[in-house]
Amino acid sequence: MIARNISFLLIVLMIVWIGCEYTTDGVELPYEERLVVWGRCDDSGADFTFERTLRLGEDRVEYSPRLNDVNAYIKHEHGIVEVPLDTAGGNHGFYRSQVLFAPGEQLELFAEWHGKKITAKTRRPATPQVESFRAYLDSSVQPTMLVCEGTFVPLYDELYTSWIDIYISPWDTTQYIRIPQERRTYLRVNDAAPDGRIHVSERYRNAPSLPDSITIEVLALDKAYYDYWVSQGDPGSSGFPRSSLFSGAFRSNVKGDGVGVVWGTTSNRKVLRFH
Amino acid sequence: MAAHSLLHSLPLLCFLLQVTTAAFSGERGTLSGTVSDSTTGEALAGVRVAFYDEAGLVRWNATNRFGFYAFSDVAPGRYTLVAFGFRGARCEHALITSDSVPDVRVHIRLSQKEVELNEVVVEADRAGDLAPLAVHEIRPELIKSLPSIGGEPDVFRPLQHLPGVKTSSELLGGMHVRGSSPDQNLILLDGMPLLNPTHFGGLLSVFNPDIVRSVGLSKGVLDAMYGGKTSSVLTVATKEGSRERVGGSAGLSMLSTRLMLEGPLTENASFIIAGRRLYADLLVPVFADAVKSPRFYFYDCNAKLQYAPSGADKLVLTAYLGNDVLWRSRENADVNFDINWGNKAASLRWLHLFSSALFANVAVIYSSYSFSTRILSEPDKGYIDWLSNSSIADLTVSGKLEMQLSDAMTLKGGAELTRNRHTAEAFDKVAEVERGMLPPSTAYAADASLFLQHEAKFWQSLSTMVGIRLNSFANGMFGDAEPRLAASLSLSDDVHVKGSWTISHQYLHLVTRNEISFPTDLWLRSGRDVEPSRMTQSVMSIEKSFADGTYDVVLEGYYKTMKNLYAYRQMADVVAGIPSPDNFVKGTGEAYGAELLVRKDVGRFSGWIAYTLSWTKRTFPELNNGEPFYAQYDRRHDMSLVVRYKASDRWQLSGTWTYSSGQPYTLPAGQFAFPSSEYGRHYLDFPALNDRRLPSYHKLDLGATYSFSWFDMPFQVLINIHNAYNRHNVVARYVSYELFKPVLKDLTLFPFLPTVGISCTF
């Protein structure tokens, strides 16, 4: 990030010394209305949320960009079925299909809205297998620390993330603690230890005793999900808005007149009960 | 064109000769020697040498880069040996009489004083040239006479007006040759590769104009002697230093000041040394706060020592040091920084004539590029917030042999061994005292190359070149063969058709952000996860002379494919140190186009018109949804007009006008948010990469040179008007936010800018 800022510094100095910046006359801010979709396919089926893009600088009024008149279809091994608007979602552009996709199966989305068409492909990864999971109190440090350690075997070209939920009743009023609270660490086969396993280790400080239960949940994700979130980065971090000097586009598995991401996911969990 | 007519079409310029011996007996022998400048004693490359008998021309040839020429299998007889310099001057003859000595060596000393009036400005690949290797040669006189920025003549300016050569802008001025990126150009200063050929992000090249003797640009890597880059070869040869007297030159422009000294050391040795420095930083205290204001300067130094103990041996020691420095005073209590980058290069070269038909060139070359950054936010505590150093260095041993099998056939071969060191270190919040305790990460690799090239002429109308280069890179991890084929056919005396087909590989990749080169860009070596780039280029051209060679017209078409190009991943994490392949994506490229050059080299009025119609595309599976997109330097139309007019002995006028289609760029076409986005946060929607075009670019630059003498010292005043009609050429367009409201901004660089510079020789 610092190296990027050095580039920025050099550019700024050059511009200050010899450049001239001015507001462009006679050229409108570009706007191309496009579809935005984010979809997820898991054990319970596939759901999608559709929006439209807004003009640059346009205020977003809660659900105003959501689209309720999208023609959406998914293709699975038995054919193509329509994905209906989920009215239980309050007509907020939420669409749900009850068609179930097994791990390893591919889903293809087709959507059309006012002549704009998009497609997206995703695949539900193989279900991750939690090989081992244990938890113990480490009283060698003060205050006592709860240590949770798990392992699972990653498959080639799959992407994983995991979290550990601690369910407790006696400690305080908190029902459960998820560590890490918001995880953006994604693990791949490259992250495996020499024994071919990914080792997850988390510590929870100030644990007086073992909780009621501890759950480790491992999610496998379509890599498109990772690519999308990694590529979006922080639009302001380069100093310049991304444009001529720092242009870019998201890596998205959505093709056509839209942007977003559709991803398949599977999960597995293992629970340790202490009381 | 047949050699005879070629020679007669050339207005003879210069002159001859010191005949050391003159003799041929009944045994057939060789005639060889060197051609040098009579004023400075420097070897002259590319000079035509011919010999005649009573019936007329017998044969002709040209001197190589080291001023050497040779004719083999010469029958005994009486001959006249003639060296032809540049157009517009006379040539004298010397007689060679037969004797019992079969091998004769003749050292020719040419006078170039008369060249100045009507010299050839773009010498090579001319219509009269049968050579299959097309090289644009630029002479220093042209460099110094064309309009420049700040009154500072620059090597890159005339090159940028050649067909097929483009720049991103007048500032971000790396050369894009036929749709390639700047890092794909092999830049050689006296045979030493330079990774960063520009100062200040491209404002000026690193080549001091006072020390440059000749510049050659080949828009392809055709000669098997060259490798490691895929797009073009730029060779800059510096002067060797006068062997006649101590002298020099000095110059002062609105950007920099420079000084050059040269002279003989002994009868057989000479030196030249030159330095240049940007002085803008010295003026900062006059106009701004000296402590708070950031300052920038660059400098470069050249030195050359040559020693010729005999007519058959020459030793040349060459050195270059250049640096750009951006800094803020350590007295500043806020944040201060010290950022510098530059090249270092040195070589020791031995040239040896084993015989008149066998020439050797052995060299040891060191070349490095380094970039370092130091940022301190609390200077008084002695802690560095950020420290990074990276350098890439090559130590090369090369040996090349050139064997003249006959007048019509030459065989070249050689080998290169390179030891590469890539060092990187980056520390965050490190106490300066601890710095020495943390070793940098360093990677070593050994590279090797072999090449063999055969050049032949048949029936004075067909010329061929067949070469092969074999590369072993990264300790043998990669092995590549590069065939180089070229041919030239004369359809008549003034019409030639040329064709070439080459494959070249590149093992060092400059990964830039959006095709704009900055010193912070990373050099990425091919290795386990980074494959070598590969380029295949096919070129066809037809050349014709008109009006007895007054006008030359060259029409060329090319098609290039590129594999294994590397670019940053979208929003990759940029970290210092040896770059991780995870941050880059791999793709392919394609470039094709047609180039037209109409040139007039003789007379008071000279110049050329260059037009290029071209397409340059890139395809990266992980960028732009895998769809092909135009590279940032894609220009559909590109045109340059270069004129020079010798108004009088004192005044020379020049002008350049360029036009090119707008460059592609990317703008967001909207915004959106996600359900899980932070409150109020939106993301920009970029439907495609480089799907828009900036307004077309055009600019007129004017220059005038006034020559006069003062105390018997010749002076030149250079007056330049940059952007004469004040065109606001947009180099970037982007969205900016003013009070949370998006507005579209344009960035332009130099407006109407008159400048002046002065130089003198002594």
Side-chain angles (χ1 to χ4, degrees):
Chain A
M1 209 54 81
I2 285 180
R4 190 183 302 165
N5 290 336
I6 293 168
S7 292
F8 172 64
L9 178 66
L10 290 171
I11 295 167
V12 168
L13 286 171
M14 289 174 185
I15 291 168
V16 166
W17 284 337
I18 57 173
C20 179
E21 183 193 63
Y22 58 90
T23 303
T24 306
D25 293 328
V27 181
E28 293 287 322
L29 275 170
Y31 177 56
E32 184 182 339
E33 191 174 58
R34 304 209 305 157
L35 270 169
V36 183
V37 59
W38 51 97
R40 174 186 164 106
C41 178
D42 57 19
D43 286 337
S44 61
D47 56 66
F48 306 91
T49 304
F50 289 99
E51 282 192 5
R52 62 178 178 83
T53 57
L54 302 177
R55 289 182 181 278
L56 292 173
E58 181 180 343
D59 289 334
R60 179 189 175 90
V61 182
E62 205 169 6
Y63 294 114
S64 62
R66 294 289 173 87
L67 303 175
N68 296 319
D69 53 349
V70 175
N71 298 314
Y73 304 87
I74 53 172
K75 182 180 178 183
H76 61 110
E77 59 182 357
H78 301 300
I80 296 174
V81 295
E82 184 175 2
V83 185
L85 180 70
D86 183 0
T87 51
N91 286 339
H92 294 320
F94 189 65
Y95 295 70
R96 173 178 286 278
S97 168
Q98 302 298 329
V99 176
L100 299 181
F101 290 81
E105 281 189 347
Q106 180 175 282
L107 173 153
E108 192 167 359
L109 169 73
F110 305 91
E112 185 269 337
W113 176 73
H114 293 189
K116 302 179 191 307
K117 296 176 182 173
I118 59 166
T119 62
K121 279 183 189 173
T122 187
R123 182 184 61 85
R124 286 197 71 204
T127 305
Q129 300 301 318
V130 180
E131 193 176 62
S132 67
F133 184 50
R134 68 171 186 153
Y136 58 91
L137 291 173
D138 182 358
S139 55
S140 66
V141 293
Q142 290 299 326
T144 304
M145 184 178 288
L146 174 65
V147 180
C148 309
E149 295 173 342
T151 62
F152 63 92
V153 180
L155 298 177
Y156 180 76
D157 211 27
E158 301 285 28
L159 180 79
Y160 301 93
T161 189
S162 69
W163 52 66
I164 292 169
D165 293 337
I166 302 169
Y167 289 86
I168 42 179
S169 52
W171 289 356
D172 52 33
T173 56
T174 306
Q175 290 301 303
Y176 79 95
I177 300 163
R178 170 166 291 187
I179 49 176
Q181 295 285 335
E182 184 178 348
R183 185 155 194 151
R184 280 285 177 87
T185 300
Y186 296 97
L187 303 161
R188 299 175 64 186
V189 69
N190 292 347
D191 301 306
D195 62 3
R197 290 163 176 77
I198 287 179
H199 296 256
V200 178
S201 177
E202 300 290 357
R203 284 165 166 72
Y204 182 72
R205 293 178 184 277
N206 201 12
S209 60
L210 289 169
D212 290 350
S213 67
I214 304 177
T215 302
I216 182 171
E217 182 164 12
V218 177
L219 265 73
L221 299 157
D222 184 354
K223 189 168 173 294
Y225 179 83
Y226 173 79
D227 288 343
Y228 189 81
W229 285 102
V230 167
S231 69
Q232 73 178 353
D234 177 357
S237 64
S238 65
F240 270 94
R242 291 187 294 170
S243 57
S244 297
L245 291 176
F246 291 96
S247 61
F250 288 161
R251 270 181 288 159
S252 170
N253 62 352
V254 176
K255 311 291 182 194
D257 306 321
V259 66
V261 64
V262 177
W263 74 95
T265 181
T266 54
S267 66
N268 206 343
R269 58 172 58 193
K270 200 158 196 167
V271 182
L272 296 176
R273 298 185 189 284
F274 300 101
H275 298 292
Chain B
M1 180 190 300
H4 186 272
S5 59
L6 164 66
L7 293 171
H8 283 277
S9 70
L10 289 171
L12 304 179
L13 190 173
C14 272
F15 153 62
L16 220 43
L17 282 183
Q18 277 177 337
V19 179
T20 52
T21 321
F24 291 104
S25 64
E27 183 183 350
R28 297 175 81 86
T30 57
L31 174 59
S32 65
T34 57
V35 178
S36 58
D37 187 308
S38 67
T39 307
T40 64
E42 290 188 40
L44 296 176
V47 173
R48 267 78 173 170
V49 180
F51 67 101
Y52 299 83
D53 59 16
E54 291 178 351
L57 174 70
V58 180
R59 275 178 271 168
W60 67 274
N61 213 328
T63 57
N64 66 12
R65 288 192 302 145
F66 304 99
F68 179 73
Y69 71 92
F71 301 97
S72 62
D73 198 28
V74 177
R78 297 176 65 88
Y79 299 106
T80 302
L81 185 64
V82 183
F84 298 88
F86 310 107
R87 296 180 176 194
R90 66 194 177 87
C91 178
E92 294 189 11
H93 300 227
L95 294 175
I96 299 177
T97 56
S98 61
D99 196 16
S100 58
V101 182
D103 297 328
V104 177
R105 190 163 293 170
V106 181
H107 300 294
I108 305 169
R109 296 171 69 81
L110 282 171
S111 168
Q112 297 197 79
K113 286 185 177 175
E114 292 153 272
V115 173
E116 294 175 5
L117 184 65
N118 296 310
E119 77 276 24
V120 176
V121 288
V122 179
E123 171 66 15
D125 91 329
R126 48 187 321 100
D129 197 340
L130 188 61
L133 286 172
V135 179
H136 289 279
E137 284 188 15
I138 305 291
R139 297 192 56 77
E141 293 78 18
L142 175 68
I143 296 167
K144 291 183 176 177
S145 66
L146 289 189
S148 58
I149 292 179
E152 180 79 11
D154 191 73
V155 165
F156 278 6
R157 295 293 156 193
L159 295 174
Q160 290 163 358
H161 295 295
L162 294 174
V165 182
K166 301 176 180 63
T167 56
S168 298
S169 74
E170 56 259 75
L171 174 61
L172 310 164
M175 281 199 310
H176 301 277
V177 179
R178 287 180 173 164
S180 296
S181 53
D183 71 307
Q184 293 174 319
N185 304 320
L186 178 62
I187 312 282
L188 295 171
L189 174 64
D190 285 329
M192 305 179 295
L194 298 183
L195 284 184
N196 179 31
T198 60
H199 288 301
F200 197 20
L203 183 65
L204 289 173
S205 75
V206 297
F207 308 111
N208 184 336
D210 285 345
I211 201 171
V212 170
R213 188 182 68 194
S214 67
V215 178
L217 176 67
S218 171
K219 292 184 286 189
V221 186
L222 193 52
D223 195 322
M225 183 166 60
Y226 300 121
K229 296 294 180 75
T230 52
S231 173
S232 73
V233 181
L234 178 70
T235 55
V236 177
T238 61
K239 297 174 182 172
E240 291 186 343
S242 173
R243 296 187 196 181
E244 304 299 323
R245 68 178 187 90
V246 175
S249 64
L252 180 68
S253 73
M254 294 178 74
L255 290 176
S256 71
T257 181
R258 56 188 196 275
L259 177 68
M260 183 272 282
L261 291 172
E262 61 178 335
L265 290 172
T266 67
E267 187 180 345
N268 298 323
S270 64
F271 77 96
I272 185 166
I273 185 165
R276 183 172 61 155
R277 191 190 190 281
L278 182 87
Y279 57 77
D281 63 307
L282 304 176
L283 303 178
V284 167
V286 179
F287 299 106
D289 188 323
V291 173
K292 289 187 176 177
S293 301
R295 302 196 211 178
F296 174 82
Y297 70 92
F298 69 74
Y299 64 87
D300 46 41
C301 309
N302 297 75
K304 199 172 195 177
L305 192 65
Q306 72 88 22
Y307 172 58
S310 69
D313 291 284
K314 183 192 278 188
L315 284 169
V316 184
L317 181 64
T318 313
Y320 169 81
L321 171 66
N323 234 6
D324 287 49
V325 181
L326 176 64
W327 60 286
R328 187 147 77 170
S329 170
R330 281 201 162 204
E331 295 168 19
N332 180 42
D334 185 9
V335 176
N336 66 52
F337 48 83
D338 188 353
I339 305 166
N340 65 75
W341 63 95
N343 302 290
K344 294 188 190 82
S347 72
L348 178 62
R349 192 175 296 277
W350 174 45
L351 309 173
H352 179 69
L353 287 171
F354 286 103
S355 72
S356 55
L358 185 60
F359 174 76
N361 174 2
V362 180
V364 179
I365 302 166
Y366 171 81
S367 175
S368 74
Y369 172 69
S370 59
F371 180 88
S372 73
T373 306
R374 188 169 62 177
I375 299 174
L376 293 87
S377 61
E378 295 175 290
D380 53 325
K381 293 183 180 174
Y383 275 82
I384 299 172
D385 280 300
W386 174 257
L387 172 71
S388 73
N389 290 305
S390 69
S391 73
I392 190 159
D394 284 344
L395 181 62
T396 301
V397 178
S398 76
K400 293 163 188 168
L401 283 174
E402 187 173 324
M403 186 184 300
Q404 189 127 14
L405 303 175
S406 70
D407 286 354
M409 291 191 189
T410 304
L411 188 65
K412 296 177 183 173
E416 286 180 356
L417 290 171
T418 300
R419 172 77 161 163
N420 174 275
R421 189 189 71 217
H422 195 174
T423 305
E425 58 180 343
F427 306 129
D428 203 354
K429 288 279 184 189
V430 172
E432 282 194 81
V433 290
E434 296 172 0
R435 185 181 157 201
M437 301 165 62
L438 300 169
S441 59
T442 304
Y444 291 95
D447 316 324
S449 298
L450 290 171
F451 79 91
L452 194 63
Q453 183 163 297
H454 182 263
E455 298 169 15
K457 284 180 268 187
F458 303 97
W459 313 295
Q460 298 293 323
S461 60
L462 176 65
S463 179
T464 62
M465 192 210 76
V466 179
I468 181 85
R469 185 179 176 91
L470 305 173
N471 300 321
S472 167
F473 189 79
N475 303 322
M477 185 180 294
F478 301 106
D480 298 300
E482 301 179 345
R484 313 280 174 85
L485 304 173
S488 173
L489 177 66
S490 293
L491 301 180
S492 68
D493 281 355
D494 56 7
V495 178
H496 306 273
V497 176
K498 293 182 179 181
S500 64
W501 181 78
T502 60
I503 290 177
S504 50
H505 292 84
Q506 182 159 332
Y507 304 93
L508 196 56
H509 319 265
L510 183 65
V511 189
T512 62
R513 291 192 168 273
N514 299 291
E515 323 294 0
I516 298 173
S517 296
F518 284 103
T520 50
D521 292 334
L522 294 172
W523 286 96
L524 184 67
R525 271 178 68 88
S526 290
R528 192 182 58 184
D529 301 311
V530 180
E531 295 182 69
S533 297
R534 176 188 167 102
M535 182 183 291
T536 304
Q537 178 170 225
S538 306
V539 180
M540 283 294 292
S541 70
I542 184 165
E543 306 171 356
K544 181 168 172 53
S545 293
F546 296 92
D548 286 335
T550 303
Y551 298 94
D552 295 331
V553 178
V554 183
L555 178 63
E556 283 188 283
Y558 66 89
Y559 180 74
K560 295 162 81 164
T561 57
M562 294 161 259
K563 277 176 62 180
N564 302 334
L565 303 177
Y566 288 87
Y568 271 108
R569 248 178 224 292
Q570 297 295 148
M571 302 305 292
D573 284 335
V574 180
V575 294
I578 292 177
S580 163
D582 288 343
N583 277 336
F584 309 110
V585 292
K586 186 172 73 174
T588 59
E590 180 186 40
Y592 49 93
E595 301 166 358
L596 176 68
L597 178 67
V598 180
R599 180 177 53 208
K600 179 178 183 290
D601 290 340
V602 293
R604 287 180 176 275
F605 185 83
S606 61
W608 71 86
I609 299 171
Y611 170 73
T612 307
L613 174 68
S614 63
W615 289 260
T616 303
K617 297 172 187 170
R618 297 286 185 268
T619 305
F620 287 79
E622 296 186 58
L623 298 180
N624 202 41
N625 282 324
E627 298 294 322
F629 59 94
Y630 289 111
Q632 191 118 9
Y633 40 86
D634 174 78
R635 305 283 189 281
R636 194 66 60 248
H637 305 282
D638 185 84
M639 188 172 180
S640 283
L641 174 64
V642 177
V643 293
R644 294 199 310 163
Y645 180 65
K646 180 85 176 176
S648 67
D649 287 344
R650 289 184 179 274
W651 282 99
Q652 180 166 290
L653 309 175
S654 63
T656 59
W657 183 76
T658 55
Y659 169 88
S660 63
S661 308
Q663 73 176 56
Y665 73 107
T666 306
L667 269 186
Q671 64 180 38
F672 61 97
F674 282 92
S676 59
S677 299
E678 296 161 25
Y679 177 76
R681 178 168 179 176
H682 63 263
Y683 299 94
L684 301 177
D685 176 29
F686 295 88
L689 276 177
N690 291 344
D691 58 338
R692 298 165 190 275
R693 295 268 173 177
L694 291 177
S696 59
Y697 177 101
H698 53 90
K699 179 167 67 77
L700 174 68
D701 297 336
L702 300 172
T705 305
Y706 178 69
S707 303
F708 65 97
S709 290
W710 192 49
F711 289 105
D712 288 333
M713 282 198 301
F715 279 78
Q716 280 193 325
V717 177
L718 296 93
I719 304 162
N720 291 298
I721 299 177
H722 182 88
N723 199 357
Y725 52 83
N726 198 26
R727 162 79 175 175
H728 287 195
N729 284 306
V730 179
V731 298
R733 177 170 287 172
Y734 50 91
V735 177
S736 183
Y737 286 82
E738 293 179 351
L739 298 174
F740 305 105
K741 183 186 172 198
V743 292
L744 210 51
K745 293 275 189 180
D746 280 351
L747 179 68
T748 63
L749 293 180
F750 300 99
F752 172 84
L753 190 65
T755 57
V756 66
I758 188 168
S759 66
C760 72
T761 54
F762 50 86

